[in-house]
Amino acid sequence: MTYADLIAWVKDAVDSTEDRFIGATGLDICIANAERSIYGQAIIPDNRVTTTVTLSSGDGSAPLPVNVGAILQVFQTGARPLLRRTPSYMREMFWNCAAGAPTDYAWLRSVVASGSTSNTLLFGPVTNGAYTFNVEYVTTDPPSIVTQTAGTWLSQNQPNVLRKQVLYEASIFLKMSELMQGYKADADAALGALTQMLGATASSDEEKS
């Protein structure tokens, strides 16, 4: 399903001639809200990202992209994932530990002086050589069908989930109170089936400093 397909479907499903809705702005708001709801609960290829961090000997931390919303796993290719800990655990257990191959990690999200956030991975123990780790995480800025008009993984592989969520958002936008509850039930059922099928939810595991 492309952006044009979705727009045509929504206009056909919702009997409204309101300019604020049928114009691109209103529909795009509904689509964006729908995608946000889905991405906030389901981990799918659209919002699942893998990056790498490289450590030198003696390193105990590495910066992460600002768009990290939740970390799924940290691992070396072909090896078991590192154990996830809290920053306080890392400071207590590894502050005076001999260098070695990292076995544990923690995600630290800090607020810097400018008011923006900074994401850091803490490793324990500190490294005794060079290491490269894969970091699989949920991004806070997944692609949208509004800008990826040819379609996203969600629109191409689970179009019904997106349609039902957009329909519910449209009922909110247009204050269709008599239909809102039914649309919400349909959207929740479709999203619940998707998360059950995938077996993962987009929950966050960070500890703020």
Side-chain angles (χ1 to χ4, degrees):
M1 180 175 66
T2 66
Y3 174 71
D5 295 332
L6 179 58
I7 293 294
W9 184 88
V10 175
K11 286 182 176 180
D12 185 60
V14 178
D15 184 17
S16 174
T17 57
E18 290 192 39
D19 290 340
R20 69 190 183 98
F21 176 69
I22 61 176
T25 301
L27 281 167
D28 286 355
I29 289 172
C30 294
I31 293 169
N33 289 341
E35 290 175 326
R36 189 177 301 112
S37 294
I38 295 168
Y39 291 140
Q41 297 185 56
I43 299 173
I44 60 178
D46 282 333
N47 64 349
R48 191 174 194 138
V49 178
T50 300
T51 188
T52 59
V53 296
T54 300
L55 305 176
S56 301
S57 181
D59 284 345
S61 65
L64 286 175
V66 296
N67 66 347
V68 174
I71 293 179
L72 302 176
Q73 61 177 340
V74 178
F75 63 98
Q76 284 186 295
T77 301
R80 296 179 63 181
L82 301 189
L83 297 174
R84 181 164 53 201
R85 306 293 191 182
T86 63
S88 57
Y89 176 93
M90 300 292 285
R91 286 189 287 267
E92 180 179 346
M93 297 301 296
F94 294 109
W95 73 275
N96 196 29
C97 183
T103 57
D104 301 60
Y105 81 92
W107 172 28
L108 179 65
R109 172 171 283 182
S110 306
V111 178
V112 297
S114 64
S116 60
T117 57
S118 173
N119 291 309
T120 305
L121 269 188
L122 307 178
F123 292 89
V126 296
T127 57
N128 60 352
Y131 293 86
T132 297
F133 290 95
N134 302 301
V135 182
E136 194 174 57
Y137 68 93
V138 178
T139 177
T140 57
D141 57 356
S144 171
I145 194 174
V146 174
T147 53
Q148 305 289 324
T149 55
T152 59
W153 183 92
L154 176 63
S155 70
Q156 296 291 353
N157 292 274
Q158 295 291 329
N160 200 44
V161 176
L162 181 56
R163 287 191 195 105
K164 291 188 175 184
Q165 195 68 47
V166 172
L167 195 57
Y168 170 56
E169 293 295 338
S171 72
I172 298 174
F173 187 89
L174 294 169
K175 298 181 172 62
M176 303 163 64
S177 56
E178 72 282 359
L179 298 174
M180 201 178 296
Q181 186 173 355
Y183 287 156
K184 184 179 189 306
D186 288 346
D188 288 349
L191 182 53
L194 175 62
T195 56
Q196 185 174 18
M197 179 188 73
L198 297 172
T201 57
S203 58
S204 168
D205 71 334
E206 100 275 8
E207 177 176 309
K208 295 182 180 181
S209 64

